[in-house]
Amino acid sequence: MSYTGPEFDPPHLRRSPRRRTLAVALAALVPGALLGWLAYEALGGSGDGGPGRVTEAASSGQASPSGGADGDGKPAAPVPPSATASAPAGTGSLKGKVVVIDPGHNPGNAEHTAEINRQVDVGTHRKECDTTGTSTNSGYSEAAFTLDVAHRLRALLQRQGATVRLTQDADRPYGPCVDERARIGNAAHADAVVSIHADGSGSGNRGFHVILPGEVHEGAADTRAIVGPSRDLGKLVAADFGRVTGSAPSNYLGDGTGLVTREDLGGLNLSTVPKVFIECGNMRDSKDAALLTSGAWRQRAAQGISEGIVSFLRG
Ligand code: ZN
């Protein structure tokens, strides 16, 4: 276990002026979404994640439930966060719109089990602050996956002019807790929040699903105002994610719709702004894992999510 977290060199310090120049030159030549991808590649953001180191934690986890955002409890192998692309603030169609991206888990969670097992109030009940997330069988962690997709998605949305905030960027030792993740979106008055995950279900279970908030009104949880717009957001994200990645909706949840409604997730129950989760695939299935560990596929995943968000925000 050698995750170095806060000491890990900020990616921008590793960029050479020559690479920045290349990115700027590309920016002058290529429009739109392709530009975002090329700039990201030029800045060293792709790096096919490939399998990370397998640690003792990765092979000693408890059995995972059949699926679900906070139920995929396999400990994750620590993988340093990928380089990020810091796209300049855009002036596109999303100017004035605020998007919060919530990368599920945190690479440091596995080393802070006491802290993340602390119970927090999610309105309907109490549950763990956060979980470690799952990993592929070869040790590529969900936490590394969610951060990488989040960075790609941020670059794409910033190109469109959106203000984008991440709930965590491996810039804290663990967490945030699920209740704080919700509060970050609320405090930002986000127009849309997407929580990024990959599932830890059984082999043979494949495909993506988007999780929508169910209607809950209990304690601090009141989703009545966001159920409708969150469903709109989720349908658009699911449709565009499927189209751009070519992945099929989950074959084990959602009856082929790619949509699942849940009332037990604190990150959704405590949200006061439109919010969905996306489980991009099943890390424990070898065919899905081959996709999830591909940088090119993760770029398509980010593109699909981005297009769904853009459609939602343009109304
Ligand atoms: Zn997860």
Side-chain angles (χ1 to χ4, degrees), residues 244-268:
V244 177
T245 63
S247 285
S250 170
N251 66 4
Y252 59 99
L253 287 171
D255 297 324
T257 64
L259 299 172
V260 173
T261 300
R262 287 178 61 171
E263 299 173 357
D264 63 317
L265 297 178
L268 294 178

Side-chain angles (χ1 to χ4, degrees), residues 68-73 103-105 130-134 142-143 146 195-200 277-279:
D70 286 353
D72 43 13
H105 317 285
D130 204 4
T131 58
T132 56
T134 189
E142 181 187 357
T146 65
S195 187
I196 298 170
H197 290 260
D199 212 353
F277 281 41
I278 182 165
E279 298 277 2

Side-chain angles (χ1 to χ4, degrees), residues 13-14 39 76 92 94 114 122 128 144 166 170-171 216-217 219 221 224 239 241 254 266-267 275-276 287 290 292-293:
L13 296 179
R14 296 199 302 271
L94 300 188
V122 300
E128 294 79 15
L166 270 57
D171 50 357
V216 294
H217 183 210
R224 291 173 296 177
F241 185 90
K275 181 172 181 178
V276 297
K287 292 190 174 118
L292 296 161
T293 54

Side-chain angles (χ1 to χ4, degrees), residues 217-245:
H217 183 210
E218 189 176 345
D222 185 356
T223 60
R224 291 173 296 177
I226 67 158
V227 164
S230 298
R231 171 165 284 274
D232 294 341
L233 171 64
K235 283 179 160 178
L236 291 165
V237 168
D240 285 334
F241 185 90
R243 180 176 52 76
V244 177
T245 63

Side-chain angles (χ1 to χ4, degrees), residues 63-307:
S64 169
S66 66
D70 286 353
D72 43 13
K74 296 273 187 174
V79 177
S82 299
T84 64
S86 54
T91 55
S93 63
L94 300 188
K95 191 168 169 49
K97 299 291 188 184
V98 177
V99 178
V100 169
I101 304 170
D102 179 36
H105 317 285
N106 178 320
N109 279 1
E111 293 184 347
H112 292 86
T113 52
E115 292 92 338
I116 66 169
N117 285 333
R118 179 172 66 85
Q119 300 276 304
V120 298
D121 184 355
V122 300
T124 49
H125 58 295
R126 295 180 69 79
K127 68 185 301 182
E128 294 79 15
C129 154
D130 204 4
T131 58
T132 56
T134 189
S135 68
T136 66
N137 290 334
S138 56
Y140 179 55
S141 74
E142 181 187 357
F145 170 83
T146 65
L147 275 176
D148 182 80
V149 173
H151 294 154
R152 296 169 186 275
L153 177 56
R154 176 174 60 185
L156 292 166
L157 292 168
Q158 286 178 331
R159 294 273 169 203
Q160 303 267 342
T163 298
V164 182
R165 178 161 180 203
L166 270 57
T167 57
Q168 60 93 10
D169 199 2
D171 50 357
R172 50 187 292 160
Y174 65 90
C177 298
V178 294
D179 55 337
E180 184 181 352
R181 288 175 186 267
R183 284 199 299 270
I184 291 169
N186 299 345
H189 302 290
D191 296 288
V193 184
V194 175
S195 187
I196 298 170
H197 290 260
D199 212 353
S201 189
S203 180
N205 288 342
R206 295 199 61 193
F208 71 90
H209 64 277
V210 172
I211 304 174
L212 314 172
E215 185 168 311
V216 294
H217 183 210
E218 189 176 345
D222 185 356
T223 60
R224 291 173 296 177
I226 67 158
V227 164
S230 298
R231 171 165 284 274
D232 294 341
L233 171 64
K235 283 179 160 178
L236 291 165
V237 168
D240 285 334
F241 185 90
R243 180 176 52 76
V244 177
T245 63
S247 285
S250 170
N251 66 4
Y252 59 99
L253 287 171
D255 297 324
T257 64
L259 299 172
V260 173
T261 300
R262 287 178 61 171
E263 299 173 357
D264 63 317
L265 297 178
L268 294 178
N269 287 0
L270 298 175
S271 184
T272 58
V273 293
K275 181 172 181 178
V276 297
F277 281 41
I278 182 165
E279 298 277 2
C280 296
N282 174 20
M283 298 198 99
R284 293 288 173 176
D285 176 82
S286 59
K287 292 190 174 118
D288 269 12
L291 302 175
L292 296 161
T293 54
S294 158
W297 189 87
R298 291 196 298 274
Q299 186 63 29
R300 290 198 291 278
Q303 182 71 38
I305 297 168
S306 169
E307 291 186 20

